Amino acid sequence: MVSPCTLPRLTSRHPLVQNLEQSLVNLPKEPSSARADKSSQLSQNLSLPQAQDLICQFFLEQIKQQSPEVVLQEFKHLFIEPTGTLNSTPRQALNLIISSGSEEIFLTTLKRSIYILVNNWNTERQEQYIQELVNLLSTSLDPKKICTVIVKRSILWRRKFVNSQDYQDLTLFASKYENRNQEHWSQRYKSYLLVSQSVDVRKPLEQQEAARTYSQQLKERFKIDLAMYTARYSSAPCQQSTLPNPTRLGDEVLRLIQKILNQRNRFSYASLARIFLNQTQQIRYKLFKQSLLNYLLFSLGDQDLTETIKTQLASVLNTLYQSYENQPWDNCLLLRTCNRVIEYLTTVDGKNPSLLFILLATQGKSLTLATLLLKIILICPSSHTHLECCLAQLIQNYQCQSESECQWLTNFLEVIQLTLTIYAEDVRYDLVNMSDCQPETNGNEKGNFYRIFSQIKGEAKKLKERLNSLSELIHRDNLTGEKTSVVRA
């Protein structure tokens, strides 16, 4: 699995592209037929990669200079319904690619152009044009009405794109504001699907960048929505109906948060991770694996379940990277080891759930499984991306099933999302027992009362900038203060 990195964007103009366009500008006034011949001749001097870069550069400039409506029309005239200036530089470059018969370069050029637009519209909070772009791609797909061989070939290749997984990947960006209660269940976890796109080196750089940016936006949105929900939750029925619950767990989410916080208060997993790393420095890898097993199993609770997990994990760790067992472990070996354990806890073959995953997720032990994965992430944060990619593989494997058929999977996905969010560095959750301050009106009710304190850390300015980056939160209140919610044990 490739770790995410900062990927370059096409921001500079290729020298040959500059020379070509300057030559076109400096041409003497000639009859239109002569200028067409000259443009066609100059385009033949381009290689296919240079022709691709020319088209991408064209859209980079257009999106800075023109309105989204105009840019959509330019895209339509180039890729969808070739009209307008047929002898323009981008048109000649695209014709060169199509006439070469290179379907792969054509599709790459199409995808790069698409994600240049998606990136910029997403940044400028103009997401409605992304939906228009997605719809536009699926129009005019009947080549029978087209006589030109080049245009006919272009439409056939575009039809392949629309019927491919690449087009399905694109629809993740267009469904940004769908109602969570109406969309397909897998769309609720598209931040994982987007992470998988962002580290796929087979994807264009522009697509990887767009996927990484949007995935991060979705995670930030969930963090804020969860903080708002826990902060504003009240036992008053009139208020409950207006509270947006970002999970599918219903009111049970508050009890689950309480359970997670109780575990954290008893055993600070972040502190345990630091202690584990400090105590295992410079030891041989064989001993490190034994210590890792003890660390993962510590404080799991159910002894019978712990023994089952221990037996299965031990069999994996004992055979893992045996050629390194007499050497001190390092960060690279730590990453590889944690990634393998994550796979054994989720999906070994990149498709089907592992036996241990099925055992825990189907027996109501989703929190136990989430805790194991959390412990791994705490000692190796670089494995977080690999975990999300494994979750994406599980989602894709069950995507064709209804939510009722894979409720055990969706329940785990809700729990792991909640667990990782609570342990996020920029949101703090605290649980305080308020039994001694219990209101008199509730005096006859049994059970302890707790308040969940949720607070987003950081300066108010930074928080405001984050909220402004999410257009769906623009009209909500600022979360600069600390608010509470009440939950009864």
Side-chain angles (χ1 to χ4, degrees):
M1 182 59 61
V2 180
S3 298
C5 59
T6 303
L7 297 168
R9 293 185 68 180
L10 183 58
T11 57
S12 60
R13 298 163 64 82
H14 194 284
L16 187 55
V17 174
Q18 290 178 327
N19 293 338
L20 172 59
E21 294 184 338
Q22 189 61 41
S23 298
L24 291 174
V25 171
N26 296 332
L27 283 175
K29 298 300 181 180
E30 299 176 284
S32 59
S33 60
R35 291 198 303 270
D37 292 340
K38 181 67 70 174
S39 177
S40 178
Q41 181 181 354
L42 287 172
S43 68
Q44 297 302 318
N45 294 327
L46 288 173
S47 67
L48 295 183
Q50 289 167 349
Q52 180 183 107
D53 284 349
L54 188 151
I55 295 170
C56 294
Q57 183 66 47
F58 169 75
F59 282 110
L60 277 170
E61 292 181 351
Q62 288 294 304
I63 205 161
K64 294 176 183 177
Q65 300 171 2
Q66 305 293 342
S67 67
E69 293 84 1
V70 172
V71 175
L72 271 174
Q73 286 301 310
E74 294 285 2
F75 184 91
K76 179 179 180 180
H77 293 160
L78 187 62
F79 286 106
I80 311 300
E81 297 176 359
T83 57
T85 308
L86 298 179
N87 294 314
S88 67
T89 304
R91 164 59 54 193
Q92 291 295 325
L94 186 61
N95 286 350
L96 177 64
I97 293 173
I98 297 173
S99 61
S100 72
S102 179
E103 178 182 349
E104 181 180 356
I105 293 183
F106 172 84
L107 292 176
T108 302
T109 305
L110 176 64
K111 288 185 285 187
R112 289 185 63 189
S113 301
I114 289 171
Y115 284 102
I116 285 173
L117 307 186
V118 169
N119 267 324
N120 282 272
W121 288 336
N122 189 42
T123 301
E124 298 298 324
R125 298 192 293 275
Q126 297 173 325
E127 295 86 354
Q128 66 272 25
Y129 296 105
I130 300 177
Q131 181 66 66
E132 292 185 30
L133 177 62
V134 171
N135 295 338
L136 183 62
L137 286 164
S138 61
T139 60
S140 303
L141 290 175
D142 186 3
K144 296 179 181 179
K145 300 178 181 179
I146 305 299
C147 298
T148 307
V149 174
I150 287 182
V151 176
K152 183 176 181 179
R153 181 181 292 174
S154 170
I155 291 179
L156 289 174
W157 288 346
R158 185 161 54 87
R159 176 187 286 181
K160 283 188 177 181
F161 170 75
V162 171
N163 292 326
S164 70
Q165 181 60 43
D166 287 327
Y167 184 75
Q168 296 302 314
D169 292 342
L170 177 62
T171 60
L172 292 177
F173 296 86
S175 59
K176 191 169 185 176
Y177 295 107
E178 289 181 359
N179 190 315
R180 286 175 60 91
N181 295 322
Q182 296 177 357
E183 63 188 1
H184 188 268
W185 67 265
S186 62
Q187 294 294 303
R188 296 200 302 272
Y189 315 107
K190 56 189 168 188
S191 63
Y192 302 135
L193 301 174
L194 289 163
V195 168
S196 181
Q197 286 187 42
S198 72
V199 297
D200 189 345
V201 295
R202 297 169 298 180
K203 307 290 186 185
L205 298 183
E206 292 83 0
Q207 181 176 354
Q208 294 179 49
E209 182 177 352
R212 183 168 55 254
T213 300
Y214 183 24
S215 176
Q216 188 59 36
Q217 288 179 343
L218 289 173
K219 293 173 187 176
E220 294 296 323
R221 173 187 175 182
F222 182 81
K223 288 179 185 178
I224 295 173
D225 283 351
L226 184 64
M228 292 177 68
Y229 179 76
T230 56
R232 298 180 179 181
Y233 185 85
S234 172
S235 59
C238 61
Q239 296 182 18
Q240 288 183 21
S241 60
T242 62
L243 292 173
N245 187 342
T247 75
R248 298 287 288 183
L249 299 173
D251 292 342
E252 188 63 26
V253 65
L254 293 172
R255 300 188 186 280
L256 182 57
I257 292 175
Q258 176 188 338
K259 191 172 183 178
I260 294 172
L261 293 177
N262 275 330
Q263 286 184 341
R264 191 188 65 181
N265 292 340
R266 292 179 59 202
F267 309 103
S268 175
Y269 291 134
S271 297
L272 286 175
R274 289 193 294 269
I275 293 172
F276 167 77
L277 292 174
N278 289 334
Q279 291 183 345
T280 55
Q281 289 295 321
Q282 302 302 319
I283 68 172
R284 291 184 296 118
Y285 180 59
K286 183 175 183 179
L287 296 177
F288 173 82
K289 292 190 292 183
Q290 296 173 0
S291 299
L292 175 62
L293 181 61
N294 293 332
Y295 160 74
L296 293 176
L297 297 177
F298 179 75
S299 76
L300 280 188
D302 190 325
Q303 290 301 316
D304 292 336
L305 182 61
T306 299
E307 285 300 318
T308 301
I309 298 174
K310 180 178 181 179
T311 301
Q312 297 199 33
L313 285 181
S315 65
V316 174
L317 289 170
N318 289 339
T319 60
L320 202 60
Y321 304 124
Q322 291 180 326
S323 60
Y324 294 94
E325 286 190 339
N326 293 321
Q327 302 177 17
W329 65 275
D330 57 18
N331 288 335
C332 291
L333 198 54
L334 172 65
L335 176 62
R336 294 165 64 187
T337 302
C338 288
N339 285 351
R340 299 296 82 75
V341 176
I342 287 173
E343 291 168 359
Y344 192 73
L345 290 171
T346 54
T347 172
V348 178
D349 61 3
K351 181 179 179 182
N352 298 298
S354 65
L355 294 178
L356 198 51
F357 181 90
I358 294 175
L359 172 66
L360 296 175
T362 60
Q363 299 301 317
K365 302 297 182 180
S366 292
L367 184 56
T368 299
L369 179 56
T371 301
L372 288 170
L373 293 168
L374 170 67
K375 286 184 173 183
I376 296 173
I377 300 305
L378 290 175
I379 64 171
C380 186
S382 298
S383 289
H384 197 156
T385 298
H386 189 66
L387 169 60
E388 292 178 313
C389 289
C390 289
L391 296 179
Q393 291 167 345
L394 291 172
I395 294 169
Q396 290 169 337
N397 186 48
Y398 287 93
Q399 212 162 14
C400 295
Q401 296 188 16
S402 66
E403 184 171 3
S404 60
E405 292 176 309
C406 50
Q407 189 172 1
W408 58 278
L409 174 60
T410 59
N411 183 72
F412 166 74
L413 292 172
E414 294 289 342
V415 172
I416 187 66
Q417 186 178 34
L418 191 66
T419 302
L420 295 178
T421 299
I422 289 176
Y423 277 85
E425 295 181 354
D426 50 357
V427 180
R428 178 181 177 85
Y429 288 87
D430 291 298
L431 184 68
V432 179
N433 191 332
M434 304 294 291
S435 299
D436 294 337
C437 304
Q438 183 175 327
E440 294 182 3
T441 54
N442 296 324
N444 295 329
E445 296 183 12
K446 297 181 179 180
N448 294 327
F449 282 80
Y450 293 84
R451 286 183 184 267
I452 297 175
F453 287 75
S454 58
Q455 184 180 31
I456 299 179
K457 303 176 185 178
E459 300 174 2
K461 181 178 179 180
K462 293 181 179 179
L463 175 57
K464 185 177 180 180
E465 290 175 352
R466 178 185 299 166
L467 288 172
N468 288 338
S469 69
L470 304 173
S471 59
E472 63 269 30
L473 297 177
I474 288 178
H475 300 296
R476 297 185 183 180
D477 296 334
N478 279 336
L479 294 180
T480 53
E482 180 181 280
K483 299 184 180 181
T484 66
S485 61
V486 181
V487 61
R488 183 159 50 87

